[in-house]
Amino acid sequence: MLPQDNFILLSFINTKLRDEYSSLQDFCEKTDEDAEEICVRLQSIGYYYNEELNAFK
């Protein structure tokens, strides 16, 4: 289950991507989360997924 607060979600997702998953797609496939939902939520606070960095910046 993802954190409800978008700023906590940002920290949570970036930590998971850094430590455990090779991409956002990999994270979503293995955790059954929706990449589009994550992107929309984080875009609402000004963060976008950077594939090269494998992080939301």
Side-chain angles (χ1 to χ4, degrees), residues 2-3 5-14 38 41-42:
L2 296 175
D5 180 274
N6 288 342
F7 289 100
I8 294 173
L9 174 63
L10 172 65
S11 178
F12 174 80
I13 291 291
N14 275 343
I38 293 169
R41 287 182 58 191
L42 294 181

Side-chain angles (χ1 to χ4, degrees), residues 13-44:
I13 291 291
N14 275 343
T15 299
K16 290 291 189 180
L17 292 175
R18 181 189 69 222
D19 295 345
E20 299 177 38
Y21 298 96
S22 62
S23 68
L24 178 60
Q25 192 64 30
D26 182 37
F27 170 79
C28 290
E29 287 174 3
K30 291 179 179 166
T31 61
D32 201 31
E33 297 293 347
D34 183 353
E36 185 175 340
E37 176 189 344
I38 293 169
C39 288
V40 167
R41 287 182 58 191
L42 294 181
Q43 286 171 5
S44 76

